[in-house]
């Protein structure tokens, strides 16, 4: 399972597909101070990305894949900065 | 996306649709060639090609999409009056459409494009694109100038990180073409299996990659994760074709804008002032005048090293350094950057002004500190409005953007006028009021002084828009940026076009209905037999009458039903006529002839099978006319005719058939030459030839063997493929006739039945059986006293109204013994006078019976090869009626 939820932290591992979007959304609805760890993430579906963007989690650990990190982190952290 | 397969329903829908669109575009192009100012035609072609591009993107047919895309761009340029549509351009476009059409055929058969498609596509596409690129000819220079704002850099460019812009700037300075992509996926795209993020990441050589939300995020709980709310902005210097290839499935959601180095300049920092800048400005200007870019770069670097790094002018210097060290420096850009560093103001693109300092009161509404950004936002919105015409959704987003902009700029005074413009726009369902507002706002006027409730008086003050007022017919050059005449014309179009409610049904289903109705007609026919039995066998007259009454009702309903279903099968002849303008044009160009084709009666409808089968024969006739009938312009002139020949295609409905005529005013057929050729060829002998009338001589061209003889066809100027015409038309139950006057032209007339579904036959008794004879073969029925039958050797004949008609006995033809006549019967023969191949023949039968409509079923299986019968039909009492094929029989 690419999306691993451990208490208040969700770990993205490998390629995370569109099917996980609702689970992720539910997670953010449930957890007060959610943390997101993208370190092991090799790719994520746009639907997940926008759930992340909308949820504005307190902390996001960037993916170790530099291309992916470069593509999504400015967007995700930019959203965080808006708060 | 996986390969489309044969049972891909989308593909199956796409193919007929694509063919229609191709047909529509080809037709429009030909109209345009005749009249380049035909506004509706260009819109139609553009719309068709655009739709084709959009729907082709659903399949793994990149080559097709790419080619259509190139054609669309070219058409877009034509539509914007940037390039003039000439014959060579029409040729190119038609060739591209032909290629696409071939590919569509291929897609239908193999569900994929041929292996060489990519190569062909890029070759043809680059040919098309070359024409787009060469549009800046002197005569269109003014239009090109005026369209500059439409090519303004996308507004989001300045939201990209400065580092990315800097990278792009350096590459652009080195001569790379930098493309700015805005990819806004369809909100529902996730359901189509698209992952926009992955797609966007595929763009090669991305220098900047930003994501933004289209609408602000609400609470996460309310989010629909499957509704895509993201937009991607990408800056790349990869070749456009590569980029398109990378995101080929998303092409219609991506906008490409080539950006120049200048567009990428973004100078930031604190304002500053001092003599050091003035000194630099002076020195650099001098160096610039001397053309010494190296020196400029050196001075810039020096100055930059000892001024504050956070200063705006310092930043300008860094851009200047890059610009000056470019391999192919843009001198204007260098000049502008020198000015920027020297004066604290950057000229930016065109004449719009970016001011780093808020010094000086704005002279127009948009000359404030954010003027350039505001302008480019407005330009973008205007473009969007002009592109899409009136569209509620688009309008809402434009309204939101412009509204925010007004608030942001503190132009509260304009907001009222703006609100009014929005209301007007909604009321008039036209983007015009809003466009005028934007125009005035942009041109620096004070929109709040406009009488906003009435947009018309203000039109004169708006620079380009008056032309948009007299739409949709206006084709005047619209130099306006984006929203020109076409923008409004497109608004008008949907109102004119009523929604078509068309159902696409498989042919097999219609055939089934047809068969069922056929069965119904046959079973209905059994009711009279039943009535007869009720009366005769059971002696119930009342019952018989009631059955007959019921029969009348069912009969009427069945006939109506039959009529209705036949209507379904009817197609207008325009289906086949539509291909001729193109064919005639191409052939005429090839043969160096001038031909004016006129088509009449395209709406005449006939059965689908007939229409479909007629394509080839008509093609032969028209080709013959062009090839042999119509002379070269010089010859025509010498003969005292107009240089331009006329070729007419006419269709009309007659009593129970369709008549199609092909008429030319060419040299006509020379009967003498036909006679001579026929004798030489041994088709007829000299005596016979002498007896033939001119018309009969002309008819010789139908003789098989005659028509294919090459030397004769050259002599007569006719004949190639005439037997094809004849056989096809006759198979359909039609007739062909040719009339020709030497030196004046030839008319070929095809007469065809309206429908093949129901055949009217006459039932006859012959040789102890009943047979059906197709009614259209029968000229008349006569009873001939035996005494009037004359024997000429072994043959018999009789005279009918002074014409000798040869007699044949049906019993002999069918090989059954003749019926023995009772001796007390009056010695009289029932004769069916038939017309076969234009000659009359009398057929002696035993007796005539009624005529009836039958559904003719061809002989099948073991009987299929049997000669003399064209098929069978079921009678009301369950018996099978054999329908005779008199032509084969005699």
């Amino acid at each position: 399972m690419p999306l691993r939820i451990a208490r208040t932290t969700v770990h993205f591992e490998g390629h995370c597909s569109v099917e996980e979007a609702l689970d992720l959304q539910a997670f953010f609805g449930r957890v007060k101070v959610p943390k997101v760890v993208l370190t092991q993430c090799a790719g994520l579906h746009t639907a997940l990305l926008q759930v992340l963007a909308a949820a504005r989690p307190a902390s996001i650990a960037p993916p170790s894949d530099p291309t992916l990190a470069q593509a999504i982190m400015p967007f995700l952290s930019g959203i965080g900065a808006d708060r | 996306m996986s390969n489309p397969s044969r049972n891909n329903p989308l593909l199956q829908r796409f193919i007929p649709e694509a063919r229609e669109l191709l047909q529509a575009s080809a037709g429009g192009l030909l109209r345009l060639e005749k009249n380049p100012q035909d506004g509706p035609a260009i819109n139609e072609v553009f719309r068709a090609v655009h739709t084709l591009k959009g729907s082709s993107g659903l399949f793994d047919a990149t080559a097709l999409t790419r080619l259509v895309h190139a054609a669309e761009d070219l058409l877009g340029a034509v539509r914007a009056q940037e390039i003039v549509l000439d014959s060579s351009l029409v040729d190119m476009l038609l060739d591209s459409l032909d290629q696409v059409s071939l590919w569509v055929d291929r897609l239908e058969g193999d569900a994929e494009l041929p292996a060489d498609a990519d190569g062909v596509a890029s070759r043809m596409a680059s040919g098309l694109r070359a024409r787009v690129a060469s549009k800046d000819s002197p005569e269109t220079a003014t239009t090109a100038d005026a369209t500059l704002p439409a090519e303004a850099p996308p507004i989001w460019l300045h939201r990209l990180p400065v580092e990315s812009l800097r990278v792009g700037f350096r590459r652009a300075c080195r001569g790379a073409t930098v493309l700015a992509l805005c990819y806004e996926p369809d909100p529902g795209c996730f359901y189509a299996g698209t992952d926009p993020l992955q797609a966007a990441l595929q763009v090669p050589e991305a220098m900047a990659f930003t994501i933004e939300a289209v609408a602000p995020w609400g609470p996460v709980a309310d989010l629909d994760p499957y509704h895509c709310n993201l937009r991607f902005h990408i800056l790349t210097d990869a070749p456009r074709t590569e980029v398109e290839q990378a995101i080929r499935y998303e092409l219609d959601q991506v906008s490409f804008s080539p950006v120049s180095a200048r567009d990428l300049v973004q100078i930031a920092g604190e304002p500053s002032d001092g003599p050091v800048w003035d000194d630099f400005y002076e020195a650099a200007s001098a160096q610039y005048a001397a053309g010494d870019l190296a020196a400029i770069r050196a001075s810039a670097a020096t100055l930059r090293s000892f001024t504050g790094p956070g200063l705006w002018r310092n930043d300008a210097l860094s851009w200047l350094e890059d610009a000056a060290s470019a391999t192919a420096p843009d001198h204007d850009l260098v000049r502008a950057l020198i000015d920027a560093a020297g004066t604290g103001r950057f000229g930016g693109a065109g004449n719009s002004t970016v001011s780093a300092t808020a010094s000086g009161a704005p002279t127009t509404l948009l000359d404030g500190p954010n003027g350039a950004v505001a302008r480019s936002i407005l330009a973008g919105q205007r473009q969007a409005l002009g592109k899409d015409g009136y569209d509620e959704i688009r309008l809402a987003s434009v309204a939101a953007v412009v509204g925010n902009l007004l608030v942001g700029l503190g132009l509260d005074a304009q907001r009222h006028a703006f609100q009014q413009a929005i209301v007007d726009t909604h009321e008039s369902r036209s983007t015009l009021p809003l466009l005028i507002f934007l125009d005035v706002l942009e041109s620096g006027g004070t929109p709040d002084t406009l009488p906003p409730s009435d947009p018309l008086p203000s039109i004169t003050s708006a620079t380009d828009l008056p032309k948009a007022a007299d739409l949709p017919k206006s084709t005047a050059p619209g130099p306006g940026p984006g929203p020109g005449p076409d923008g409004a014309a497109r608004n008008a179009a949907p109102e004119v076009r009523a929604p078509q409610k068309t159902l696409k049904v498989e042919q097999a289903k219609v055939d089934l209905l047809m068969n069922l109705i056929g069965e119904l007609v046959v079973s209905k026919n059994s009711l009279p037999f039943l009535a007869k039995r009720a009366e005769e066998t059971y002696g119930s007259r009342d019952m018989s009458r009631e059955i007959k009454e019921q029969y009348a009702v069912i009969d009427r309903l069945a006939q109506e039903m039959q009529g209705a279903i036949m209507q379904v099968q009817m197609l207008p002849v325009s289906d086949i006529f539509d291909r001729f303008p193109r064919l005639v044009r191409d052939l005429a160009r090839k043969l160096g002839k001038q031909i004016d084709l006129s088509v009449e009666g395209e709406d005449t409808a006939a059965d689908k099978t007939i229409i479909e089968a007629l394509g080839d024969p008509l093609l032969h006739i028209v080709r013959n006319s062009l090839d042999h009938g119509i002379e070269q312009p010089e010859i025509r002139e010498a003969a005292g005719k107009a240089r331009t020949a006329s070729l007419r295609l006419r269709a009309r409905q007659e009593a129970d058939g369709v008549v199609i005529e092909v008429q030319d005013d060419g040299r006509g057929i020379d009967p003498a030459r036909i006679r001579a050729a026929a004798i030489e060829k041994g088709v007829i002998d000299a005596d016979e030839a002498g007896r033939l009338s001119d018309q009969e001589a002309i008819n010789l061209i139908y003789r098989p063997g005659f028509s294919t003889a090459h030397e004769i066809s050259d002599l007569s100027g006719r004949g190639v493929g005439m037997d094809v015409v004849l056989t096809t038309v006759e198979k359909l139950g039609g007739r062909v006739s040719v009339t020709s006057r030497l030196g004046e032209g030839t008319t070929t007339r095809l007469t065809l039945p309206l429908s093949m579904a129901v055949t009217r036959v006459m039932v006859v008794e012959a040789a102890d059986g009943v047979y059906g004879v197709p009614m259209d073969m029968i000229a008349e029925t006569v009873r001939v006293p035996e005494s009037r039958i004359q024997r000429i050797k072994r043959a018999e004949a009789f005279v009918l109204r002074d014409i000798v008609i040869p007699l044949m006995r049906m019993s002999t033809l069918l090989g059954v013994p003749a019926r023995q006549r009772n001796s007390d019967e009056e010695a009289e023969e029932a004769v069916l006078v038939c017309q076969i191949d234009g000659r009359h023949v009398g057929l002696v039968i035993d007796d005539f019976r009624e005529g009836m409509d039958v559904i003719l079923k061809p002989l099948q299986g073991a009987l299929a090869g049997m000669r003399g019968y064209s098929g069978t039909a079921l009678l009301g009492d369950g018996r099978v009626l054999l329908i005779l094929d008199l032509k084969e029989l005699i």
Side-chain angles (χ1 to χ4, degrees), chain A residues 22-32 34 51 55, chain B residues 220-221:
Chain A
L22 286 176
D23 291 344
L24 185 65
Q25 190 181 17
F27 164 79
F28 283 125
R30 204 168 55 229
V31 178
K32 286 234 168 58
V51 174
Chain B
V220 67

Side-chain angles (χ1 to χ4, degrees), chain B residues 56 238 267 489 572 607 640 710:
Chain B
S56 71
I267 307 170
D607 195 276
H710 183 249

Side-chain angles (χ1 to χ4, degrees), chain B residues 146 292 697 703 710 741 810:
Chain B
D292 191 350
R703 294 276 180 100
H710 183 249
R741 291 175 72 113
M810 191 70 101

Side-chain angles (χ1 to χ4, degrees), chain B residues 693-723:
Chain B
S693 69
D694 282 357
Q695 182 59 51
E696 281 170 323
I698 290 170
N699 287 346
L700 282 177
I701 62 172
Y702 292 125
R703 294 276 180 100
F706 197 100
S707 58
T708 47
H710 183 249
E711 67 274 21
I712 294 170
S713 71
D714 273 349
L715 256 183
S716 66
R718 289 277 151 172
V720 175
M722 275 320 224
D723 61 335

Side-chain angles (χ1 to χ4, degrees), chain B residues 471 664 753 761 879:
Chain B
L471 285 162
D664 67 53
V761 297
R879 279 185 299 159

Side-chain angles (χ1 to χ4, degrees), chain B residues 47-125:
Chain B
R47 201 180 301 124
V49 171
H50 178 78
T51 315
L52 188 60
K53 185 196 77 176
S55 30
S56 71
L58 291 172
F59 310 104
D60 193 10
T62 333
L64 195 155
T65 312
R66 192 187 305 163
L67 180 53
V68 177
H69 194 146
E72 185 197 4
D73 286 352
L74 183 57
L75 286 166
V78 172
R79 205 166 71 128
Q81 315 234 348
E82 286 164 16
I83 37 179
V84 181
L85 193 75
D86 54 19
S87 285
S88 67
L89 207 55
V90 172
D91 275 341
M92 276 172 89
L93 284 167
L94 286 176
D95 285 347
S96 311
L97 294 180
D98 283 349
Q99 185 60 53
V100 173
S101 167
L102 283 178
W103 283 338
V104 169
D105 291 348
R106 188 65 185 253
L107 273 180
E108 187 179 31
D110 305 347
E112 59 182 15
L113 295 181
D116 66 339
D118 277 314
V120 174
S122 57
R123 193 157 32 77
M124 294 183 100

Side-chain angles (χ1 to χ4, degrees), chain B residues 853-876:
Chain B
D853 288 327
V854 295
I855 309 269
L856 187 61
K857 299 244 166 80
L859 292 174
Q860 280 168 346
L863 294 175
M866 220 153 78
R867 291 180 60 82
Y869 299 96
S870 56
T872 59
L874 212 55
L875 288 179

Side-chain angles (χ1 to χ4, degrees), chain B residues 96-425:
Chain B
S96 311
L97 294 180
D98 283 349
Q99 185 60 53
V100 173
S101 167
L102 283 178
W103 283 338
V104 169
D105 291 348
R106 188 65 185 253
L107 273 180
E108 187 179 31
D110 305 347
E112 59 182 15
L113 295 181
D116 66 339
D118 277 314
V120 174
S122 57
R123 193 157 32 77
M124 294 183 100
S126 52
L128 292 173
R129 294 213 187 278
R131 293 297 298 257
V132 182
S134 66
K135 65 191 174 197
D136 294 327
S137 57
E139 61 186 74
T140 56
T142 46
T143 3
D145 257 354
T147 55
L148 259 178
E151 289 161 14
I155 47 166
W156 50 264
L157 211 54
H158 292 281
R159 295 206 295 270
L160 293 180
V162 178
E163 316 85 71
S164 311
L165 290 174
R166 179 76 72 146
V167 175
F169 178 73
R170 287 191 182 131
R171 294 203 195 163
C173 283
R174 260 184 261 136
T177 312
V178 177
L179 275 177
L181 270 68
C182 177
Y183 169 33
E184 188 163 349
D186 179 54
C189 67
F190 296 166
Y191 294 104
T194 308
D195 184 355
L197 176 61
Q198 295 309 319
L201 284 171
Q202 298 306 311
V203 174
E205 307 288 335
M207 294 174 288
F209 185 97
T210 62
I211 310 171
E212 62 177 36
V214 179
W217 301 111
V220 67
D222 297 347
L223 175 79
D224 176 0
Y226 300 128
H227 179 95
C228 186
N229 185 33
L230 296 179
R231 190 192 286 144
F232 301 83
H233 294 144
I234 303 164
L235 210 56
T236 172
D237 67 343
R240 181 163 175 157
T241 45
E242 259 178 50
V243 178
E244 284 180 1
Q245 173 72 25
I247 46 167
R248 54 188 178 275
Y249 302 122
E250 312 302 324
L251 276 181
D252 46 347
Q253 281 137 27
V254 179
S255 62
F256 291 85
S257 348
V259 289
S260 66
R262 180 185 287 241
D263 299 333
L264 293 165
V265 174
Q266 193 180 24
I267 307 170
E270 295 293 312
S272 60
D273 220 341
V276 61
W277 297 110
D278 298 338
D279 291 348
F280 166 79
Y281 187 36
E282 218 167 277
S285 298
Q287 285 157 349
Y288 177 78
D292 191 350
L293 291 178
I296 296 176
R297 195 173 69 223
S299 347
T302 320
L303 182 59
R304 201 158 66 87
S305 63
F306 62 79
T307 53
L311 297 182
W312 190 90
R313 291 190 184 198
N314 180 290
D315 197 31
L317 285 177
S318 68
W319 291 94
L320 175 57
E321 263 180 74
D322 283 333
S325 48
T327 42
D330 174 352
H331 288 268
D332 290 342
L333 178 61
V334 172
R335 175 78 247 179
L337 285 167
I338 292 173
D339 292 350
T343 63
R345 292 165 72 90
F346 178 55
N351 295 321
S352 60
T353 313
V354 172
S355 172
T357 59
S359 59
T363 47
T364 69
L365 292 171
L366 296 180
D367 272 359
N370 299 318
V373 178
R375 274 171 198 280
S376 66
I377 292 177
L378 286 179
Q381 298 306 313
R382 282 174 52 139
Q383 220 176 325
L385 277 179
K387 197 170 115 216
D388 294 353
Y390 182 82
D391 174 355
E392 295 262 351
I393 299 164
R394 170 67 76 186
L395 199 64
S397 84
V398 170
V401 171
V402 178
N404 289 339
L405 180 79
L406 291 177
V407 175
L409 291 176
L411 298 175
D412 289 341
Q414 274 67 49
R415 284 171 63 197
H416 172 71
F418 173 65
Q419 293 301 336
Q420 189 60 48
I422 294 284
V423 170
D424 288 346
T425 301

